[in-house]
Amino acid sequence: MGLPAGLARTTRFTRFNRLHRIARLARIARAAAPRGAVAAAALLATVTLVGCPRESATRPAQDDSRSPGASQPVTPSGAPPSATSRAPVPAGVPRTVPGLRSATSVPGPGWRPAAGARVVTDPEGPLADEARLLAVELKMTAAGTPARPGDIELALRPGQSGGDEAYELTADDHKVLVTSAGEAGVFYGTRTLAQAVRSGGGLPEGVVRDAPDRGQRGLNLDIARKHFTAEWIEARIRELADLKLNQLGLHFSDDQGFRIESESHPEIVSPQHLTKAEVRRIVALADSLHITVVPEIDSPGHLGAVIKAHPGLQLKDASGTAARGAVDIANPEAARIVDDLLREYAPLFPGAYFHLGADEYRALMAKDPEASYPRLAQLARQRYGDRGRVQDLATAWLNDRAGVVRGLGKKPKAWNDGFFTGGVVSADKDIEVEYWTGKELGARDPQEYLNEGRRVVNLNDEYLYYVLGEPNQFRYPTGERIYRQWSPAVLRGTTAAPQGLTGPDRVTGGRLAVWCDFPDAQTPQQVADGIRLPLAAVAQRLWDPRPPTMPWKEFSALAGRVAP
């Protein structure tokens, strides 16, 4: 899966320099003027989809547009001779991944790409590059308005219902109109149209109204333990975009490596790493495809690469044994270095979020943290009174780092095992919980976070953890298991949290996560192959969490057919 290489949107912060970049054909931008609605034919059937629908019985097994005896519609006046010269598209529901949530089918010819047909929008408007991308994919021409028979028109409609990611796709009178209140919605409409062509030859006559159920949908990638090239990451971004996924988490700092160039602390950077120029290219491509890149610098654990260059920062227990990957949070120098890095990388990643990690801090994985780390326990009592504990120091560390990224215009995220109950210090309420496990010592049930009014993102390690080498009883996730059993409400193990707590405003989405514990267990190509169907299943369940009706065998075959 993936979009054509080399095509990306003019980034938000360099949008007005697009004319200088056309030679790179590299940006897909935003919004065209609103357009009047196309009059629909008399409504005969409305199909409201539940989950991922079975194929309509009226749809042929294959595209019959090349059949010698197919009837040819009369060419409307004003259109190029062949712009509407293909056989009608049978009525039914376009087959896409993720599946459409609502469609209306009416009698009519539908739409197929044909010689002379164009993708039109304002050539100087912010959807111009989107039009170019779709034109390349469908072997058409990008042009300015007005639309004529055979064309696809892209337009923004401020105030259109459903939000910025919702879209409406209308096939009527040998034309297609894609509209949305937001640029992302128009883009997703083009993904549906491209997939409809791949799966069924074109778009049936009628209207599609579609929108995602969850706002955060994507992939988390551990590039700290295993180096992935910029080109490999870009290929995954194109794959995410074609599945209407909108988030890529980059975990680039851990015990085994620090994988992005640094000017503030070059001493911590691993020999194999991404340059900042490569990261800017990755971020620009992601932005062009409506994908937010979420950087993660995990602390105060998982900082082995920093400790290697600064051994004096390592935490030690009462016996003098070093705690792997953990910095001493009583040492102000540890906070200074981490904050230097947060400030350095925030501008490199212009998206809304910064992930602070906060998981698996070794001091709090001990059965009795106060006995094992008496120096931290003493400091906690000094700062917070007799009730102060080591967990209060760790929570204060998290809040301090959240304050840094908040001051840089970012929304903080942290792993669920970085949030503790019963302490003197509580984690700031605006720190978003990324729930990954209920297996750690003292792990809290996800309902506790929801009861506290926190927003939670689902990375359930029972279904969504692709861990190289399969250590600690992990098994590579399968698309079928995700498709059949998982939903955004299944945050821990295999049991869903209470329905009233798991709506889109509370469990805001989820991500498949690749962790490279044994980096040589798979090649980059094996990783890409291994996550292809799990990503498709995640895309389906986050777009529409209702139980899918299409059998897995059909869904997995469809995922192959609609891939570029």
Side-chain angles (χ1 to χ4, degrees):
M1 287 185 176
L3 303 170
L7 283 165
R9 170 187 307 277
T10 306
T11 59
R12 296 177 179 87
F13 42 87
T14 57
R15 179 184 308 175
F16 298 105
N17 294 323
R18 190 191 318 118
L19 291 177
H20 300 292
R21 304 182 181 190
I22 288 176
R24 295 175 62 187
L25 196 58
R27 308 281 183 255
I28 313 169
R30 299 128 179 19
R35 177 183 184 270
V38 177
L43 179 65
L44 286 191
T46 298
V47 181
T48 300
L49 310 183
V50 178
C52 190
R54 294 180 185 272
E55 186 173 11
S56 168
T58 61
R59 180 177 298 282
Q62 60 185 12
D63 179 4
D64 65 353
S65 62
R66 296 182 179 84
S67 300
S71 61
Q72 302 297 322
V74 176
T75 303
S77 60
S82 59
T84 60
S85 61
R86 294 200 172 193
V89 179
V93 176
R95 290 166 60 84
T96 63
V97 176
L100 306 178
R101 298 181 72 184
S102 176
T104 299
S105 181
V106 301
W111 178 92
R112 295 182 189 273
R118 308 169 305 158
V119 183
V120 302
T121 194
D122 177 0
E124 297 302 318
L127 290 176
D129 292 333
E130 236 111 12
R132 284 196 289 269
L133 172 65
L134 186 62
V136 168
E137 290 178 308
L138 299 183
K139 297 180 173 58
M140 297 169 65
T141 301
T145 54
R148 62 195 186 196
D151 288 349
I152 302 166
E153 182 175 1
L154 311 182
L156 282 187
R157 282 184 174 164
Q160 182 170 306
S161 64
D164 286 351
E165 290 192 311
Y167 66 92
E168 189 171 292
L169 187 60
T170 303
D172 177 68
D173 192 26
H174 299 283
K175 289 183 285 189
V176 174
L177 175 64
V178 186
T179 64
S180 174
E183 298 147 10
V186 171
F187 177 68
Y188 295 148
T190 69
R191 300 305 87 214
T192 290
L193 183 55
Q195 287 197 18
V197 171
R198 294 172 199 142
S199 65
L203 192 69
E205 197 88 355
V207 180
V208 169
R209 293 183 179 90
D210 201 18
D213 186 72
R214 307 291 157 144
Q216 297 188 55
R217 312 176 304 280
L219 172 68
N220 210 70
L221 183 61
D222 172 12
I223 64 171
R225 295 179 177 95
K226 183 179 181 69
H227 175 66
F228 292 94
T229 66
E231 291 76 16
W232 189 93
I233 296 171
E234 288 169 333
R236 303 289 73 71
I237 288 171
R238 296 186 183 96
E239 182 177 0
L240 298 180
D242 209 59
L243 292 168
K244 302 187 180 86
L245 297 169
N246 66 0
Q247 203 171 78
L248 174 67
L250 284 185
H251 175 93
F252 63 91
S253 169
D254 212 304
D255 297 344
Q256 294 83 351
F258 192 98
R259 301 289 182 179
I260 296 179
E261 173 188 358
S262 172
E263 281 94 31
S264 68
H265 290 282
E267 73 280 2
I268 70 173
V269 179
S270 301
Q272 280 191 311
H273 64 270
L274 298 172
T275 67
K276 285 191 174 180
E278 288 175 318
V279 173
R280 291 186 185 99
R281 194 178 83 203
I282 288 167
V283 170
L285 174 64
D287 179 75
S288 77
L289 301 175
H290 296 282
I291 292 170
T292 297
V293 181
V294 180
E296 181 190 351
I297 297 178
D298 202 344
S299 77
H302 294 280
L303 283 172
V306 172
I307 291 168
K308 183 178 180 181
H310 299 274
L313 299 182
Q314 189 156 33
L315 177 67
K316 295 181 180 179
D317 67 12
S319 66
T321 302
R324 181 169 60 86
V327 296
D328 182 354
I329 55 179
N331 187 338
E333 183 65 10
R336 185 189 70 79
I337 290 178
V338 171
D339 290 349
D340 285 347
L341 296 170
L342 295 175
R343 293 187 179 100
E344 177 178 4
Y345 290 107
L348 190 62
F349 296 93
Y353 297 100
F354 209 116
H355 203 308
L356 302 172
D359 64 311
E360 296 184 317
Y361 186 51
R362 292 287 167 176
L364 293 170
M365 296 173 73
K367 289 184 178 180
D368 186 344
E370 283 67 39
S372 297
Y373 296 90
R375 195 166 58 82
L376 290 182
Q378 180 182 10
L379 179 61
R381 289 190 296 270
Q382 289 174 358
R383 289 186 180 178
Y384 307 114
D386 291 343
R387 291 178 56 237
R389 291 183 285 170
V390 175
Q391 73 172 56
D392 295 308
L393 293 178
T395 301
W397 171 284
L398 173 60
N399 287 343
D400 288 344
R401 309 293 77 76
V404 171
V405 300
R406 201 181 291 116
L408 297 166
K410 307 296 183 185
K411 299 176 184 178
K413 290 175 173 282
W415 298 112
N416 67 282
D417 51 332
F419 295 77
F420 305 96
T421 187
V424 175
V425 182
S426 297
D428 294 343
K429 281 295 180 68
D430 69 330
I431 303 174
E432 197 165 74
V433 179
E434 302 243 324
Y435 198 98
W436 72 279
T437 189
K439 300 171 184 174
E440 295 287 343
L441 181 69
R444 298 168 61 196
D445 189 278
Q447 186 172 340
E448 292 187 31
Y449 305 92
L450 296 167
N451 287 340
E452 292 171 6
R454 296 186 182 277
R455 287 158 55 98
V456 177
V457 179
N458 190 327
L459 289 94
N460 184 345
D461 63 353
E462 177 69 26
Y463 292 97
L464 304 180
Y465 261 37
Y466 193 99
V467 185
L468 298 198
E470 301 184 310
N472 302 322
Q473 299 182 322
F474 282 111
R475 294 294 178 265
Y476 293 124
T478 67
E480 182 174 7
R481 189 163 182 253
I482 295 168
Y483 185 77
R484 291 179 182 274
Q485 300 178 13
W486 179 80
S487 76
V490 182
L491 287 155
R492 177 180 183 174
T494 60
T495 303
Q499 185 174 1
L501 295 175
T502 56
D505 60 330
R506 304 299 306 282
V507 179
T508 59
R511 296 194 303 280
L512 183 75
V514 175
W515 296 104
C516 302
D517 291 39
F518 290 90
D520 297 329
Q522 289 193 341
T523 66
Q525 185 59 53
Q526 287 174 319
V527 174
D529 293 341
I531 66 175
R532 184 182 68 85
L533 286 176
L535 274 175
V538 167
Q540 175 61 45
R541 298 311 305 271
L542 289 171
W543 193 267
D544 187 348
R546 297 172 294 183
T549 59
M550 180 183 289
W552 168 252
K553 187 175 181 179
E554 287 185 39
F555 179 86
S556 59
L558 176 63
R561 285 202 302 278
V562 300

